[in-house]
Amino acid sequence: MKNAVLWFGLVLCLFTGTAVSAETIAPAKEADIRKLLEATGALKIGSMMTESVVKQMGASFASSRPDLPTALVDSLSADVGRIFAQGMSSKGGLMDQMVPLYHRQFTHEEIKGLLAFYQSPLGK
């Protein structure tokens, strides 16, 4: 159930740009959450989803406007992809929005346990 909530949060943050309310999180817990997000590849998953959406958008745009040069459609797709990528890691971006979600769903001890697992040979 927790995984479903977290994945829903990831998709919600990624596609709506909705900011998650600011909460006071202990610095050690926040640092561990960020390490966990890195260890699990959460941002890589977001990047893969973004690439897929941008490709679909480019294909849709190209088919609806065949009169436009391919270079223009490719340039537009590249720019949109770049904007999405910047939004993921910038201040207030996806990473910053995921931290409060993990904070609400997991205790610091659970985060430490998950981090230990994902840093172990089995978790990798």
Side-chain angles (χ1 to χ4, degrees), residues 42-94:
L43 290 181
K44 289 178 186 173
I45 294 169
S47 294
M48 290 187 316
M49 291 173 63
T50 298
E51 286 177 33
S52 177
V53 168
V54 169
K55 282 181 184 177
Q56 290 175 353
M57 181 204 71
S60 175
F61 195 60
S63 68
S64 67
R65 293 292 309 268
D67 57 313
L68 295 176
T70 303
L72 177 64
V73 174
D74 292 345
S75 176
L76 177 62
S77 295
D79 288 344
V80 170
R82 195 171 21 263
I83 291 167
F84 269 101
Q86 289 170 348
M88 291 191 141
S89 59
S90 66
K91 184 165 178 59
L94 182 62

CSV table of all heavy atoms in Angstrom, one decimal, residues 42-94:
chain,number,residue,atom,x,y,z
A,42,ALA,N,14.7,6.6,-8.1
A,42,ALA,CA,13.4,7.2,-8.3
A,42,ALA,C,13.4,8.3,-9.4
A,42,ALA,O,12.5,8.4,-10.2
A,42,ALA,CB,12.9,7.8,-7.0
A,43,LEU,N,14.5,9.1,-9.4
A,43,LEU,CA,14.6,10.2,-10.4
A,43,LEU,C,14.8,9.6,-11.8
A,43,LEU,O,14.4,10.1,-12.8
A,43,LEU,CB,15.7,11.1,-10.0
A,43,LEU,CG,15.4,12.0,-8.8
A,43,LEU,CD1,16.6,13.0,-8.6
A,43,LEU,CD2,14.1,12.8,-9.0
A,44,LYS,N,15.5,8.4,-11.9
A,44,LYS,CA,15.7,7.8,-13.2
A,44,LYS,C,14.4,7.4,-13.7
A,44,LYS,O,14.2,7.5,-15.0
A,44,LYS,CB,16.7,6.6,-13.0
A,44,LYS,CG,18.1,7.0,-12.8
A,44,LYS,CD,19.0,5.8,-12.6
A,44,LYS,CE,20.4,6.3,-12.2
A,44,LYS,NZ,21.3,5.1,-11.9
A,45,ILE,N,13.5,6.9,-12.9
A,45,ILE,CA,12.2,6.4,-13.3
A,45,ILE,C,11.4,7.6,-13.8
A,45,ILE,O,10.8,7.6,-14.9
A,45,ILE,CB,11.4,5.7,-12.2
A,45,ILE,CG1,12.1,4.4,-11.9
A,45,ILE,CG2,10.0,5.5,-12.6
A,45,ILE,CD1,11.6,3.7,-10.6
A,46,GLY,N,11.5,8.7,-13.1
A,46,GLY,CA,10.9,10.0,-13.5
A,46,GLY,C,11.4,10.4,-14.9
A,46,GLY,O,10.6,10.9,-15.8
A,47,SER,N,12.7,10.3,-15.1
A,47,SER,CA,13.3,10.7,-16.3
A,47,SER,C,12.8,9.8,-17.5
A,47,SER,O,12.6,10.3,-18.6
A,47,SER,CB,14.8,10.6,-16.3
A,47,SER,OG,15.3,11.5,-15.4
A,48,MET,N,12.7,8.5,-17.2
A,48,MET,CA,12.2,7.6,-18.3
A,48,MET,C,10.8,7.9,-18.6
A,48,MET,O,10.4,7.9,-19.8
A,48,MET,CB,12.3,6.1,-17.8
A,48,MET,CG,13.8,5.7,-17.7
A,48,MET,SD,14.0,3.9,-17.3
A,48,MET,CE,12.9,3.6,-16.1
A,49,MET,N,10.0,8.2,-17.6
A,49,MET,CA,8.6,8.6,-17.9
A,49,MET,C,8.5,9.9,-18.7
A,49,MET,O,7.7,10.0,-19.7
A,49,MET,CB,7.8,8.8,-16.6
A,49,MET,CG,7.6,7.5,-15.9
A,49,MET,SD,6.9,7.7,-14.2
A,49,MET,CE,5.3,8.4,-14.6
A,50,THR,N,9.4,10.8,-18.4
A,50,THR,CA,9.4,12.1,-19.1
A,50,THR,C,9.8,11.9,-20.6
A,50,THR,O,9.2,12.4,-21.5
A,50,THR,CB,10.4,13.1,-18.4
A,50,THR,OG1,10.0,13.4,-17.1
A,50,THR,CG2,10.6,14.4,-19.2
A,51,GLU,N,10.9,11.1,-20.8
A,51,GLU,CA,11.3,10.8,-22.1
A,51,GLU,C,10.2,10.2,-23.0
A,51,GLU,O,10.0,10.5,-24.1
A,51,GLU,CB,12.5,9.8,-22.1
A,51,GLU,CG,13.8,10.4,-21.7
A,51,GLU,CD,14.9,9.4,-21.6
A,51,GLU,OE1,14.9,8.5,-22.5
A,51,GLU,OE2,15.8,9.6,-20.8
A,52,SER,N,9.4,9.3,-22.4
A,52,SER,CA,8.3,8.6,-23.0
A,52,SER,C,7.2,9.7,-23.4
A,52,SER,O,6.7,9.7,-24.5
A,52,SER,CB,7.7,7.5,-22.2
A,52,SER,OG,6.6,7.0,-22.8
A,53,VAL,N,6.9,10.5,-22.5
A,53,VAL,CA,5.9,11.5,-22.8
A,53,VAL,C,6.3,12.5,-23.9
A,53,VAL,O,5.6,12.8,-24.8
A,53,VAL,CB,5.5,12.3,-21.5
A,53,VAL,CG1,4.7,13.6,-21.8
A,53,VAL,CG2,4.8,11.4,-20.5
A,54,VAL,N,7.6,12.9,-23.8
A,54,VAL,CA,8.1,13.8,-24.8
A,54,VAL,C,8.1,13.2,-26.2
A,54,VAL,O,7.8,13.8,-27.2
A,54,VAL,CB,9.5,14.3,-24.4
A,54,VAL,CG1,10.2,15.1,-25.5
A,54,VAL,CG2,9.4,15.2,-23.2
A,55,LYS,N,8.5,11.9,-26.2
A,55,LYS,CA,8.5,11.2,-27.5
A,55,LYS,C,7.1,11.1,-28.1
A,55,LYS,O,6.8,11.4,-29.3
A,55,LYS,CB,9.1,9.8,-27.4
A,55,LYS,CG,10.6,9.8,-27.3
A,55,LYS,CD,11.1,8.3,-27.2
A,55,LYS,CE,12.6,8.3,-27.0
A,55,LYS,NZ,13.1,6.9,-26.8
A,56,GLN,N,6.1,10.8,-27.2
A,56,GLN,CA,4.7,10.7,-27.7
A,56,GLN,C,4.2,12.1,-28.1
A,56,GLN,O,3.5,12.2,-29.1
A,56,GLN,CB,3.8,10.2,-26.6
A,56,GLN,CG,4.1,8.7,-26.3
A,56,GLN,CD,3.3,8.2,-25.1
A,56,GLN,OE1,2.6,8.9,-24.4
A,56,GLN,NE2,3.3,6.9,-24.9
A,57,MET,N,4.6,13.1,-27.4
A,57,MET,CA,4.2,14.5,-27.7
A,57,MET,C,4.7,14.9,-29.1
A,57,MET,O,4.0,15.4,-29.9
A,57,MET,CB,4.6,15.5,-26.7
A,57,MET,CG,4.2,16.9,-26.9
A,57,MET,SD,5.3,18.1,-26.1
A,57,MET,CE,6.8,17.9,-27.1
A,58,GLY,N,6.0,14.6,-29.3
A,58,GLY,CA,6.7,14.9,-30.6
A,58,GLY,C,6.0,14.2,-31.7
A,58,GLY,O,5.8,14.8,-32.8
A,59,ALA,N,5.7,12.9,-31.5
A,59,ALA,CA,5.1,12.1,-32.6
A,59,ALA,C,3.7,12.6,-32.9
A,59,ALA,O,3.3,12.7,-34.1
A,59,ALA,CB,5.1,10.6,-32.2
A,60,SER,N,3.0,13.0,-31.9
A,60,SER,CA,1.6,13.5,-32.0
A,60,SER,C,1.6,14.9,-32.8
A,60,SER,O,0.9,15.1,-33.7
A,60,SER,CB,0.9,13.7,-30.7
A,60,SER,OG,-0.3,14.3,-30.8
A,61,PHE,N,2.6,15.7,-32.4
A,61,PHE,CA,2.7,17.0,-33.0
A,61,PHE,C,3.1,16.9,-34.5
A,61,PHE,O,2.5,17.6,-35.3
A,61,PHE,CB,3.7,17.8,-32.2
A,61,PHE,CG,3.7,19.3,-32.5
A,61,PHE,CD1,2.6,20.1,-32.3
A,61,PHE,CD2,4.8,19.9,-33.1
A,61,PHE,CE1,2.6,21.4,-32.6
A,61,PHE,CE2,4.8,21.3,-33.3
A,61,PHE,CZ,3.7,22.0,-33.1
A,62,ALA,N,4.0,16.0,-34.7
A,62,ALA,CA,4.5,15.8,-36.1
A,62,ALA,C,3.4,15.2,-37.0
A,62,ALA,O,3.2,15.6,-38.2
A,62,ALA,CB,5.7,14.8,-36.1
A,63,SER,N,2.5,14.3,-36.5
A,63,SER,CA,1.5,13.8,-37.3
A,63,SER,C,0.3,14.8,-37.5
A,63,SER,O,-0.3,14.8,-38.5
A,63,SER,CB,0.9,12.5,-36.7
A,63,SER,OG,0.3,12.7,-35.5
A,64,SER,N,0.1,15.6,-36.5
A,64,SER,CA,-1.0,16.6,-36.6
A,64,SER,C,-0.6,17.8,-37.5
A,64,SER,O,-1.4,18.5,-38.0
A,64,SER,CB,-1.5,17.1,-35.3
A,64,SER,OG,-0.5,17.8,-34.6
A,65,ARG,N,0.7,18.0,-37.6
A,65,ARG,CA,1.2,19.2,-38.4
A,65,ARG,C,2.3,18.7,-39.3
A,65,ARG,O,3.5,19.1,-39.1
A,65,ARG,CB,1.8,20.3,-37.4
A,65,ARG,CG,0.8,21.0,-36.6
A,65,ARG,CD,-0.2,21.9,-37.4
A,65,ARG,NE,0.5,22.8,-38.3
A,65,ARG,CZ,0.8,24.0,-38.0
A,65,ARG,NH1,0.6,24.5,-36.8
A,65,ARG,NH2,1.4,24.8,-38.9
A,66,PRO,N,2.0,17.9,-40.3
A,66,PRO,CA,3.0,17.4,-41.2
A,66,PRO,C,3.7,18.5,-42.0
A,66,PRO,O,4.8,18.2,-42.6
A,66,PRO,CB,2.3,16.4,-42.1
A,66,PRO,CG,0.9,16.8,-42.0
A,66,PRO,CD,0.7,17.4,-40.6
A,67,ASP,N,3.1,19.7,-42.1
A,67,ASP,CA,3.7,20.8,-42.8
A,67,ASP,C,5.0,21.4,-42.1
A,67,ASP,O,5.7,22.1,-42.8
A,67,ASP,CB,2.7,21.9,-43.1
A,67,ASP,CG,2.1,22.4,-41.8
A,67,ASP,OD1,1.7,21.6,-40.9
A,67,ASP,OD2,2.0,23.6,-41.6
A,68,LEU,N,5.1,21.1,-40.8
A,68,LEU,CA,6.3,21.7,-40.1
A,68,LEU,C,7.5,20.9,-40.4
A,68,LEU,O,7.5,19.6,-40.5
A,68,LEU,CB,6.0,21.7,-38.6
A,68,LEU,CG,4.8,22.6,-38.2
A,68,LEU,CD1,4.6,22.5,-36.7
A,68,LEU,CD2,5.1,24.1,-38.5
A,69,PRO,N,8.7,21.5,-40.5
A,69,PRO,CA,9.9,20.8,-40.7
A,69,PRO,C,10.2,19.9,-39.5
A,69,PRO,O,10.0,20.2,-38.3
A,69,PRO,CB,11.0,21.9,-40.7
A,69,PRO,CG,10.2,23.2,-41.0
A,69,PRO,CD,8.8,23.0,-40.4
A,70,THR,N,10.8,18.8,-39.8
A,70,THR,CA,11.2,17.8,-38.8
A,70,THR,C,12.1,18.4,-37.8
A,70,THR,O,12.0,18.1,-36.6
A,70,THR,CB,11.8,16.5,-39.5
A,70,THR,OG1,10.9,16.0,-40.4
A,70,THR,CG2,12.1,15.5,-38.4
A,71,ALA,N,13.1,19.2,-38.2
A,71,ALA,CA,14.0,19.8,-37.3
A,71,ALA,C,13.3,20.7,-36.3
A,71,ALA,O,13.7,20.7,-35.1
A,71,ALA,CB,15.0,20.7,-38.1
A,72,LEU,N,12.2,21.4,-36.7
A,72,LEU,CA,11.5,22.2,-35.7
A,72,LEU,C,10.8,21.3,-34.7
A,72,LEU,O,10.9,21.6,-33.5
A,72,LEU,CB,10.4,23.0,-36.4
A,72,LEU,CG,9.5,23.9,-35.6
A,72,LEU,CD1,10.4,24.9,-34.8
A,72,LEU,CD2,8.5,24.5,-36.4
A,73,VAL,N,10.2,20.2,-35.1
A,73,VAL,CA,9.5,19.3,-34.2
A,73,VAL,C,10.6,18.7,-33.2
A,73,VAL,O,10.3,18.6,-32.0
A,73,VAL,CB,8.7,18.2,-34.9
A,73,VAL,CG1,8.2,17.2,-34.0
A,73,VAL,CG2,7.6,18.9,-35.7
A,74,ASP,N,11.7,18.3,-33.8
A,74,ASP,CA,12.8,17.7,-32.9
A,74,ASP,C,13.3,18.7,-31.9
A,74,ASP,O,13.5,18.4,-30.8
A,74,ASP,CB,13.9,17.2,-33.8
A,74,ASP,CG,13.5,16.0,-34.6
A,74,ASP,OD1,12.5,15.4,-34.3
A,74,ASP,OD2,14.3,15.7,-35.6
A,75,SER,N,13.4,20.0,-32.4
A,75,SER,CA,13.9,21.0,-31.5
A,75,SER,C,12.9,21.3,-30.3
A,75,SER,O,13.3,21.4,-29.2
A,75,SER,CB,14.2,22.3,-32.3
A,75,SER,OG,14.6,23.3,-31.4
A,76,LEU,N,11.7,21.3,-30.7
A,76,LEU,CA,10.6,21.5,-29.7
A,76,LEU,C,10.6,20.4,-28.7
A,76,LEU,O,10.6,20.7,-27.5
A,76,LEU,CB,9.3,21.6,-30.4
A,76,LEU,CG,8.0,21.8,-29.4
A,76,LEU,CD1,8.1,23.1,-28.6
A,76,LEU,CD2,6.8,21.7,-30.2
A,77,SER,N,10.7,19.2,-29.1
A,77,SER,CA,10.8,18.0,-28.2
A,77,SER,C,12.0,18.1,-27.3
A,77,SER,O,11.9,17.8,-26.1
A,77,SER,CB,10.8,16.7,-29.0
A,77,SER,OG,9.6,16.6,-29.8
A,78,ALA,N,13.1,18.4,-27.9
A,78,ALA,CA,14.3,18.5,-27.1
A,78,ALA,C,14.2,19.6,-26.0
A,78,ALA,O,14.6,19.4,-24.9
A,78,ALA,CB,15.5,18.8,-28.0
A,79,ASP,N,13.6,20.8,-26.4
A,79,ASP,CA,13.4,21.8,-25.4
A,79,ASP,C,12.5,21.4,-24.3
A,79,ASP,O,12.7,21.7,-23.1
A,79,ASP,CB,12.9,23.1,-26.1
A,79,ASP,CG,13.9,23.8,-26.9
A,79,ASP,OD1,15.1,23.5,-26.8
A,79,ASP,OD2,13.5,24.6,-27.8
A,80,VAL,N,11.4,20.8,-24.6
A,80,VAL,CA,10.4,20.3,-23.6
A,80,VAL,C,11.1,19.3,-22.7
A,80,VAL,O,11.0,19.3,-21.5
A,80,VAL,CB,9.2,19.7,-24.3
A,80,VAL,CG1,8.3,19.0,-23.2
A,80,VAL,CG2,8.4,20.8,-25.0
A,81,GLY,N,11.9,18.4,-23.3
A,81,GLY,CA,12.6,17.4,-22.5
A,81,GLY,C,13.6,18.0,-21.5
A,81,GLY,O,13.7,17.6,-20.4
A,82,ARG,N,14.3,19.1,-22.0
A,82,ARG,CA,15.2,19.8,-21.2
A,82,ARG,C,14.5,20.5,-20.0
A,82,ARG,O,15.0,20.5,-18.9
A,82,ARG,CB,16.0,20.8,-22.0
A,82,ARG,CG,17.2,21.3,-21.4
A,82,ARG,CD,18.1,22.1,-22.3
A,82,ARG,NE,17.5,22.7,-23.6
A,82,ARG,CZ,17.6,22.1,-24.8
A,82,ARG,NH1,18.2,21.0,-24.9
A,82,ARG,NH2,17.0,22.7,-25.8
A,83,ILE,N,13.4,21.1,-20.3
A,83,ILE,CA,12.6,21.8,-19.2
A,83,ILE,C,12.2,20.8,-18.2
A,83,ILE,O,12.3,21.0,-16.9
A,83,ILE,CB,11.4,22.5,-19.8
A,83,ILE,CG1,12.0,23.7,-20.6
A,83,ILE,CG2,10.5,23.0,-18.7
A,83,ILE,CD1,10.9,24.4,-21.5
A,84,PHE,N,11.7,19.6,-18.6
A,84,PHE,CA,11.3,18.6,-17.6
A,84,PHE,C,12.4,18.1,-16.8
A,84,PHE,O,12.3,18.0,-15.6
A,84,PHE,CB,10.7,17.4,-18.3
A,84,PHE,CG,9.2,17.5,-18.5
A,84,PHE,CD1,8.6,17.8,-19.8
A,84,PHE,CD2,8.3,17.1,-17.5
A,84,PHE,CE1,7.3,17.9,-19.9
A,84,PHE,CE2,6.9,17.2,-17.7
A,84,PHE,CZ,6.4,17.6,-18.9
A,85,ALA,N,13.6,17.9,-17.4
A,85,ALA,CA,14.8,17.4,-16.7
A,85,ALA,C,15.2,18.4,-15.7
A,85,ALA,O,15.6,18.1,-14.5
A,85,ALA,CB,15.9,17.1,-17.7
A,86,GLN,N,15.2,19.7,-16.0
A,86,GLN,CA,15.6,20.8,-15.1
A,86,GLN,C,14.6,20.8,-13.9
A,86,GLN,O,15.0,21.0,-12.8
A,86,GLN,CB,15.6,22.1,-15.8
A,86,GLN,CG,16.8,22.3,-16.7
A,86,GLN,CD,16.6,23.6,-17.5
A,86,GLN,OE1,15.6,24.2,-17.6
A,86,GLN,NE2,17.7,23.9,-18.3
A,87,GLY,N,13.4,20.6,-14.2
A,87,GLY,CA,12.4,20.6,-13.1
A,87,GLY,C,12.5,19.5,-12.1
A,87,GLY,O,12.0,19.6,-11.0
A,88,MET,N,13.1,18.4,-12.5
A,88,MET,CA,13.2,17.3,-11.6
A,88,MET,C,14.2,17.5,-10.5
A,88,MET,O,14.0,17.1,-9.4
A,88,MET,CB,13.6,16.0,-12.4
A,88,MET,CG,12.6,15.5,-13.3
A,88,MET,SD,13.1,13.9,-13.9
A,88,MET,CE,11.5,13.1,-13.9
A,89,SER,N,15.3,18.2,-10.8
A,89,SER,CA,16.4,18.3,-9.8
A,89,SER,C,16.5,19.7,-9.3
A,89,SER,O,17.3,19.9,-8.3
A,89,SER,CB,17.7,17.8,-10.4
A,89,SER,OG,18.0,18.6,-11.5
A,90,SER,N,15.8,20.7,-9.8
A,90,SER,CA,15.9,22.0,-9.4
A,90,SER,C,15.2,22.2,-8.1
A,90,SER,O,14.5,21.4,-7.6
A,90,SER,CB,15.3,23.0,-10.4
A,90,SER,OG,14.0,22.8,-10.6
A,91,LYS,N,15.5,23.4,-7.4
A,91,LYS,CA,14.8,23.7,-6.1
A,91,LYS,C,13.3,23.7,-6.4
A,91,LYS,O,12.8,24.3,-7.3
A,91,LYS,CB,15.3,25.0,-5.6
A,91,LYS,CG,14.7,25.4,-4.3
A,91,LYS,CD,15.5,26.5,-3.7
A,91,LYS,CE,14.9,26.9,-2.3
A,91,LYS,NZ,14.9,25.9,-1.3
A,92,GLY,N,12.6,22.9,-5.5
A,92,GLY,CA,11.2,22.8,-5.6
A,92,GLY,C,10.7,21.8,-6.7
A,92,GLY,O,9.6,21.6,-6.9
A,93,GLY,N,11.7,21.1,-7.3
A,93,GLY,CA,11.4,20.1,-8.3
A,93,GLY,C,11.0,18.8,-7.7
A,93,GLY,O,10.6,18.7,-6.5
A,94,LEU,N,11.0,17.7,-8.5
A,94,LEU,CA,10.5,16.4,-8.1
A,94,LEU,C,11.2,15.9,-6.9
A,94,LEU,O,10.5,15.4,-6.0
A,94,LEU,CB,10.7,15.4,-9.3
A,94,LEU,CG,10.2,14.0,-9.0
A,94,LEU,CD1,8.7,14.1,-8.8
A,94,LEU,CD2,10.6,13.1,-10.2
